[in-house]
Amino acid sequence: MDTQQQQQQSAIQGAKVLMVGAGGIGCELLKTLALSGFQDIHIIDMDTIEVSNLNRQFLFRRSHVGQSKAKVARDAVLRFRPRINISSYHANVKNPEFDVDFFKQFDVVLNGLDNLDARRHVNRLCLAADVPLVESGTTGFLGQVTVHVKGKTECYECQTKPAPKTYPVCTITSTPTKFVHCIVWAKDLLFAKLFGDKNQDNDLNVRANNAASSSKETEDVFERAEDEDIDQYGRKIYDHVFGYNIEAALSNEETWKNRRRPRPIYSKDVLPESLTQQNGSIQNCSTTDDDDSTVSAMPLLGLKNPQELWGLTQNSLVFIEALKLFFAKRKKEIGHLTFDKDDQLAVEFVTAAANIRAESFGIPLHSLFEAKGIAGNIVHAVATTNAIVAGLIVIEAIKVLKKDADKYRMTYCLEHPSRKMLLMPVEPFEPNPACYVCSKTPLVLEINTQKSKLQDLVDKIVTAKLGMNLPLIMHGASLLYEVGDDLDDIMVANYNANLEKVRSLCSSDTGLDLAVSHMFVFSQFLSELPSPVTNGSILTVEDLQQELSCKINVKHREEFDEEKEPEGMVLSGWTQSPATNGESASTSNNENAVDVTESSSGLENASKKRRLAENQAENDKKETENVESDDDLMEIENPVMVSKKKKRVE
């Protein structure tokens, strides 16, 4: 063994590695790490093993279903590598015990996660702890591995990640144009209304304003009377959501001037008079109450192939039969159910309901197999891709341990050859000077400060978009909001002073205590807070666990487009700061051009280098086919970002 090999082996054997995620990539990664000579491995995963994992997560067996992924993966690898140390944690990586000090003990962190929120959290902890991070993701035949080293390469959040796809409520409830709209309607509105919380507010009770067409069932259509026949109840629901509600929508002529008009569908036009006589008795269903997730309507109807495309009649029969089974076999759960992609009966009901609605609106129907993938946000995983990506992670981890920075590569696994290559290595970029996470660049929030509340800011921006777990919001010296109990005395004093101002606005006999005052502040409009947030205000937002701090420049805006900007506020990256800030900065929102006006020549040079590389990438992109998808971030078992602006290493 030569000197270089000895050094590499020494680096591997002396490394302390943290793995986050023990799923599709994680199983392959743990196996590869153990076989590569790593001696000290720690695994965090909060999930338990499901039957659907077994076709690609090969460390697990059917007997392991319901057990901790991290623990079972550890035990499986120790059988063939008994002398190495593997520590497992069946926990959420966002738990308080996994703080910056915990991360500092590791030489490298390897991610195999399945959601954006956890990825961002780990990225921030690695930055705070100054520990290198190797990211990864797969979607079908596509995969990627990226290296993130503080101060040397861009962090995981240097490039904007698309937010999860959302749809305007009016599109879902009134004017669907895609099958996914029908799935969202069936899953989040109809299923939830029938089998979830009965008191939830949604638009499914909307009926025509014509009193003659109304009946007493309009108000309580989803309530089943104790003596009501289950067939009659099922038909009543069917007629209401697919018939009466469609007629009500058609009464608004303006809506359909430039749209295809939907067709009301009634049970009498599709279903036979007696369903029980045709389909047999529910009591003959072979499934038992102690295995509720396997109860199925398909066997009762002679349907076997989940990839078969059902017609309107078959979908209608499945709809009614599934509804009857919920009341006959799972009545105790009704009122508490939420949709689960692993719940066979729930998937059947949602598929049937979505297809009937799709038929009404002239949208192509989908099979149960396809509908389940859409409803569960599933892109079916490929075990080979996971194995390839796991191998690439270990290669990059070894480079990191050897501090071989010149050889770091981000590698993309392609479905089709590009330049006769299926693996495309890419030079990592330097940190993006416009990144609010690693470069401390301020953000800009356009918001109506007179109509938006502090709670809106916390829920929609600080938590949802910035991914902060223990946020603290300051306006100058005033503390507007905090979560956590380790604030210093000055901050607490300022916060209590704000609450005292709120108390002074209330009459002395209200009996307001601290908690009520807190809630009062939380529900106040931004411009009416004790320390008002208005146009030009600068907020400082911190996360106590992630040790992350960023500034938000507030820009008041009166109106927002309900279709394009449904949240009523827009958060953007580096842009012109408000004049009150006393500083100037400029950039384009176009990722191809990042201009930052700073005194530091280093930032200017980094920006120029980035533009040059991206321009070259645009030239390469013209010759590269099948590399990118419509979305840079694809949500699957593991998200993957296939950037359009990366320069391939020649």
Side-chain angles (χ1 to χ4, degrees):
M1 185 181 293
D2 60 27
T3 305
Q4 274 194 335
Q5 289 176 321
Q6 288 178 346
Q7 289 176 345
Q8 176 171 307
Q9 198 62 26
S10 176
I12 290 173
Q13 292 179 348
K16 190 172 185 178
V17 178
L18 174 63
M19 275 180 53
V20 187
I25 292 176
C27 281
E28 294 293 334
L29 178 56
L30 181 59
K31 174 201 70 178
T32 307
L33 286 171
L35 294 175
S36 299
F38 285 84
Q39 302 291 309
D40 192 359
I41 307 168
H42 295 244
I43 322 164
I44 302 174
D45 195 300
M46 66 182 291
D47 287 340
T48 55
I49 299 163
E50 299 177 1
V51 173
S52 60
N53 302 147
L54 302 181
N55 70 336
R56 64 193 180 280
Q57 298 174 22
F58 300 130
L59 297 180
F60 308 144
R61 299 292 181 266
R62 181 171 288 273
S63 60
H64 297 139
V65 170
Q67 298 181 39
S68 161
K69 284 187 175 182
K71 183 181 184 304
V72 173
R74 169 190 178 274
D75 294 344
V77 171
L78 285 178
R79 287 196 197 96
F80 59 84
R81 280 291 185 271
R83 292 186 178 86
I84 68 174
N85 175 58
I86 303 179
S87 300
S88 63
Y89 308 84
H90 179 53
N92 191 333
V93 71
K94 295 168 70 175
N95 287 354
E97 62 262 33
F98 305 123
D99 56 11
V100 174
D101 288 334
F102 176 84
F103 272 70
K104 282 181 178 178
Q105 65 182 299
F106 298 102
D107 297 296
V108 64
V109 176
L110 313 177
N111 260 1
L113 287 162
D114 63 357
N115 68 87
L116 181 61
D117 188 42
R119 288 164 176 263
R120 294 192 300 185
H121 181 76
V122 172
N123 175 63
R124 295 169 187 185
L125 286 173
C126 285
L127 286 171
D130 197 10
V131 176
L133 169 67
V134 182
E135 258 293 354
S136 67
T138 65
T139 173
F141 292 102
L142 301 176
Q144 73 164 31
V145 174
T146 57
V147 183
H148 307 285
V149 180
K150 184 177 181 179
K152 294 182 180 178
T153 70
E154 62 183 9
C155 79
Y156 176 72
E157 296 175 79
C158 276
Q159 296 298 321
T160 303
K161 306 295 186 296
K165 185 68 175 176
T166 58
Y167 303 98
V169 173
C170 56
T171 299
I172 300 302
T173 58
S174 305
T175 56
T177 57
K178 300 176 181 178
F179 188 70
V180 66
H181 298 158
C182 300
I183 285 286
V184 173
W185 175 87
K187 179 178 71 167
D188 295 344
L189 296 183
L190 183 58
F191 183 89
K193 185 69 175 177
L194 279 169
F195 309 118
D197 183 1
K198 296 287 184 184
N199 297 320
Q200 69 168 320
D201 185 25
N202 64 34
D203 295 332
L204 292 178
N205 267 326
V206 173
R207 286 280 297 272
N209 293 325
N210 182 356
S213 69
S214 247
S215 69
K216 68 176 183 179
E217 70 184 20
T218 301
E219 294 181 3
D220 303 311
V221 67
F222 291 97
E223 289 293 329
R224 182 191 174 201
E226 297 230 351
D227 58 347
E228 187 173 10
D229 178 75
I230 186 62
D231 278 332
Q232 292 178 346
Y233 176 72
R235 287 175 180 271
K236 180 178 71 173
I237 298 298
Y238 188 106
D239 290 342
H240 179 79
V241 296
F242 302 121
Y244 299 133
N245 280 358
I246 299 298
E247 286 191 5
L250 287 170
S251 66
N252 186 348
E253 294 292 339
E254 191 68 26
T255 302
W256 309 107
K257 278 187 176 180
N258 300 310
R259 291 186 175 95
R260 177 175 176 171
R261 295 171 66 88
R263 172 172 69 96
I265 301 174
Y266 290 93
S267 61
K268 63 182 175 60
D269 301 323
V270 181
L271 297 171
E273 284 297 322
S274 175
L275 291 175
T276 304
Q277 186 175 5
Q278 174 172 321
N279 301 331
S281 171
I282 288 176
Q283 305 305 323
N284 295 328
C285 181
S286 60
T287 53
T288 58
D289 288 335
D290 58 357
D291 192 11
D292 291 336
S293 65
T294 64
V295 174
S296 173
M298 290 176 61
L300 294 172
L301 300 169
L303 301 173
K304 298 178 180 179
N305 185 1
Q307 298 192 37
E308 178 186 352
L309 191 63
W310 302 335
L312 176 60
T313 300
Q314 287 172 309
N315 278 294
S316 300
L317 289 170
V318 171
F319 178 90
I320 297 293
E321 212 58 48
L323 185 145
K324 289 162 63 177
L325 280 169
F326 270 114
F327 279 90
K329 295 285 185 178
R330 302 173 61 177
K331 190 171 183 179
K332 292 179 180 178
E333 298 176 72
I334 293 176
H336 311 286
L337 281 168
T338 56
F339 177 81
D340 183 346
K341 63 180 174 58
D342 294 315
D343 183 335
Q344 177 66 18
L345 192 60
V347 172
E348 290 173 0
F349 179 86
V350 166
T351 298
N355 272 329
I356 299 167
R357 186 166 173 84
E359 176 74 21
S360 177
F361 282 85
I363 299 168
L365 309 190
H366 285 59
S367 69
L368 180 126
F369 180 80
E370 295 168 323
K372 179 179 179 179
I374 297 170
N377 297 319
I378 301 168
V379 175
H380 297 283
V382 177
T384 307
T385 312
N386 289 339
I388 292 170
V389 164
L392 292 170
I393 293 171
V394 175
I395 289 172
E396 294 305 321
I398 292 172
K399 294 176 187 176
V400 167
L401 295 173
K402 293 170 62 179
K403 303 190 185 305
D404 207 348
D406 292 339
K407 294 184 179 178
Y408 293 164
R409 293 293 181 268
M410 297 185 289
T411 306
Y412 298 96
C413 181
L414 310 179
E415 182 173 359
H416 302 283
S418 174
R419 301 183 181 180
K420 299 182 179 180
M421 299 172 65
L422 283 173
L423 294 179
M424 181 175 286
V426 177
E427 252 182 26
F429 279 133
E430 294 178 358
N432 185 355
C435 176
Y436 77 93
V437 176
C438 67
S439 299
K440 306 303 181 186
T441 299
L443 299 164
V444 171
L445 176 63
E446 296 179 64
I447 189 171
N448 189 322
T449 58
Q450 298 169 357
K451 295 181 179 179
S452 298
K453 299 177 180 179
L454 179 59
Q455 182 170 3
D456 298 326
L457 175 65
V458 172
D459 292 346
K460 297 179 180 180
I461 301 298
V462 177
T463 303
K465 292 193 180 299
L466 300 184
M468 294 192 175
N469 301 320
L470 300 175
L472 176 150
I473 305 176
M474 300 284 295
H475 182 207
S478 299
L479 177 60
L480 299 183
Y481 177 83
E482 59 86 10
V483 173
D485 56 4
D486 51 351
L487 303 175
D488 61 40
D489 293 340
I490 297 176
M491 286 183 173
V492 172
N494 285 330
Y495 189 46
N496 289 336
N498 279 340
L499 293 180
E500 286 301 326
K501 292 177 185 177
V502 173
R503 284 196 185 95
S504 68
L505 298 175
C506 306
S507 60
S508 59
D509 59 350
T510 58
L512 226 62
D513 61 13
L514 187 64
V516 176
S517 298
H518 184 118
M519 292 173 62
F520 186 79
V521 171
F522 203 48
S523 62
Q524 284 288 90
F525 293 117
L526 293 173
S527 61
E528 298 175 357
L529 289 170
S531 177
V533 176
T534 57
N535 186 56
S537 294
I538 302 173
L539 304 178
T540 300
V541 185
E542 299 182 20
D543 188 289
L544 306 177
Q545 183 183 12
Q546 299 171 352
E547 296 191 11
L548 172 68
S549 176
C550 67
K551 293 189 181 299
I552 299 178
N553 297 323
V554 177
K555 181 179 179 182
H556 177 79
R557 179 172 154 190
E558 287 289 334
E559 302 293 336
F560 292 87
D561 187 314
E562 291 185 4
E563 287 284 333
K564 296 179 180 178
E565 301 161 331
E567 293 176 333
M569 55 189 74
V570 177
L571 183 71
S572 56
W574 182 278
T575 187
Q576 184 67 39
S577 301
T580 55
N581 193 14
E583 298 177 1
S584 65
S586 66
T587 184
S588 165
N589 286 329
N590 186 344
E591 291 181 348
N592 289 325
V594 180
D595 272 324
V596 183
T597 305
E598 289 278 355
S599 59
S600 168
S601 59
L603 288 179
E604 293 173 359
N605 292 336
S607 179
K608 290 176 182 177
K609 177 177 178 180
R610 189 178 193 85
R611 287 199 304 276
L612 287 172
E614 289 171 351
N615 289 337
Q616 177 63 45
E618 288 299 315
N619 294 331
D620 285 347
K621 187 182 70 172
K622 294 176 183 177
E623 303 174 21
T624 305
E625 297 182 5
N626 300 316
V627 176
E628 56 193 67
S629 70
D630 292 336
D631 297 317
D632 282 336
L633 180 69
M634 292 165 281
E635 286 289 333
I636 34 81
E637 181 192 358
N638 296 285
V640 58
M641 180 182 178
V642 182
S643 174
K644 303 174 183 179
K645 304 173 180 67
K646 304 296 186 185
K647 183 178 73 170
R648 186 170 69 84
V649 177
E650 299 296 340

